[in-house]
Amino acid sequence: MKLIILLLVLFCNTWISAQTHKTTESKDFGILYLISSALEHNPSVKARRYDRLGAQSEQDAARWQYFPTPTTSYQSSDKAAAPGTDSRITTVGLKQPLWTNGRLSAGLESAQAKQKLADAALKETERDVALEVIQVCGDWQIASARARIAQDSIDKHQKLLQQIQRRAQEGLSAQSDVFLAQGRLGAVQADRISSVAAMDTALQRLMSLTGLALTAHHLQKLSLALPFHRDLIANNDLNPIESDPTLAKLESEVLLIQSEIKSNKAAMLPEVSAQLVNRHGDVSRDVTQWSIGLESRWGAGLTQLSSAKIIEQRKGAKLAEIEARKIKLKDLVQTEINNRIGYSERLKSFEQVLETSRGVVDSWNRQFLSGKKTWQDVMNSVRELSQAEIQLAETKNSLEITDWRLAVLQNGLSNLLEK
């Protein structure tokens, strides 16, 4: 029996593990998948979603303000107001606003503005999380490239070290050349250790962002290239203002301020309401009566006038922020476009430099053997080859990250996730 239970447990664990692995492997393990996972896992995004739900409830509450308000009261005194009457008084009533000078509509507009503000804040947080995921993916990719290049350089330096050690033993080279090769090998090994540490840091950060059990194997298959065709340079007519959640949030704050202005103006005039009251007890016995009433909501002194000035000033400041954001956003997108053009041009140059450096390494090693180049020249050529490989990898990485940033800024994250 115990054996059967043990086998069932092992089978279940294997099945669960297989399903988990299958789910991981079946996904299109690209940046969009990682972004979607991060949006579901990130606590800041969850908080903004709860804010949005709260704003929706606030709209419902604002709509209920148009309906009658029930009132009830109960009083009990030690003595009746007159002999033979009840000392307990029960009052039940309904109060219906008839004219509020726009206060109720201002309250509804305020709730709707808060809804838009919550939506924009959510999209802003999602955008920031997405950009962070993209950047961390880029950090891992470049660290991985540097580690790979460093390992290749280590292999080359080890061969050169063995070569110069043999020559030194034969008396063909000085011992200082051996020391130089050993020093260069140690430096490259240190570079690889640093790159591997950067890979681990990026991997841990990406796991924290997405909530996924990622490994280096997953990220090795990850491509930073955009998964869809898009000419970012020729597409300058795309308007980033239309998809910017930060700008939408500022505009929602203006709507919220406008509702405050409307509510403040409404408070300067009395409101009209109808009230139905049923009173039982005391000398009145049982009485039902209708009434029409006026009610003011004035503050102390000239509070409403002062408040109106303050709100108008806040609106002016917020409108200025909107204009500043538009300018900053256009400058940001243009800067990214200019960077992309620069990266594209540099990429072609570094490809040529890399091809030249590979030829120089082989040529200078041969010339060293024939006495035309020094050992330091040979070592420098190997280092320059690694530097050219790193420059090419970094430029390619920066180009791809810029493509993603432009795609998010110009198209909007929600449009990308729908692709």
Side-chain angles (χ1 to χ4, degrees), residues 143-298:
S144 175
R146 293 178 70 94
R148 184 181 65 254
I149 293 169
Q151 183 59 56
D152 183 63
S153 183
I154 287 173
D155 296 340
K156 289 184 174 66
H157 278 81
Q158 287 176 336
K159 291 180 181 179
L160 291 175
L161 177 59
Q162 294 172 358
Q163 175 185 344
I164 201 64
Q165 285 175 335
R166 289 193 300 267
R167 289 178 61 86
Q169 290 173 356
E170 296 170 0
L172 299 176
S173 295
Q175 190 65 29
S176 60
D177 290 341
V178 176
F179 294 152
L180 176 61
Q182 290 174 337
R184 293 288 178 87
L185 176 59
V188 176
Q189 289 173 333
D191 288 341
R192 185 183 182 281
I193 293 173
S194 177
S195 298
V196 171
M199 288 173 61
D200 292 339
T201 299
L203 177 60
Q204 291 298 322
R205 181 57 185 152
L206 197 56
M207 290 172 62
S208 177
L209 282 169
T210 62
L212 299 173
L214 300 174
T215 65
H217 173 71
H218 292 120
L219 298 185
Q220 285 171 354
K221 300 184 297 180
L222 181 67
S223 173
L224 284 181
L226 285 174
F228 46 86
H229 176 72
R230 184 168 177 270
D231 191 343
L232 295 168
I233 297 178
N235 221 358
N236 289 342
D237 57 335
L238 288 174
N239 188 1
I241 292 176
E242 296 177 356
S243 59
D244 182 49
T246 301
L247 186 59
K249 189 171 73 170
L250 292 172
E251 291 173 343
S252 299
E253 290 174 351
V254 170
L255 294 177
L256 187 59
I257 293 174
Q258 289 176 342
S259 69
E260 289 185 46
I261 294 174
K262 188 174 181 179
S263 179
N264 187 74
K265 289 180 179 179
M268 294 182 183
L269 295 173
E271 297 183 4
V272 181
S273 61
Q275 188 169 10
L276 172 63
V277 177
N278 177 267
R279 176 173 173 153
H280 177 78
D282 204 356
V283 296
S284 60
R285 298 294 183 181
D286 194 346
V287 175
T288 299
Q289 63 182 31
W290 284 92
S291 63
I292 300 294
L294 296 178
E295 182 181 358
S296 67
R297 296 175 179 267
W298 300 330

Side-chain angles (χ1 to χ4, degrees), residues 294-309:
L294 296 178
E295 182 181 358
S296 67
R297 296 175 179 267
W298 300 330
L302 300 177
T303 302
Q304 298 300 332
L305 295 178
S306 299
S307 297
K309 292 181 180 179

Side-chain angles (χ1 to χ4, degrees), residues 5-19:
I5 294 175
L6 179 60
L7 290 175
L8 287 174
V9 171
L10 290 175
F11 173 77
C12 291
N13 289 338
T14 303
W15 184 84
I16 293 172
S17 176
Q19 291 300 312

Side-chain angles (χ1 to χ4, degrees), residues 23 37 62 211 270 385:
T23 300
S37 300
L385 174 60

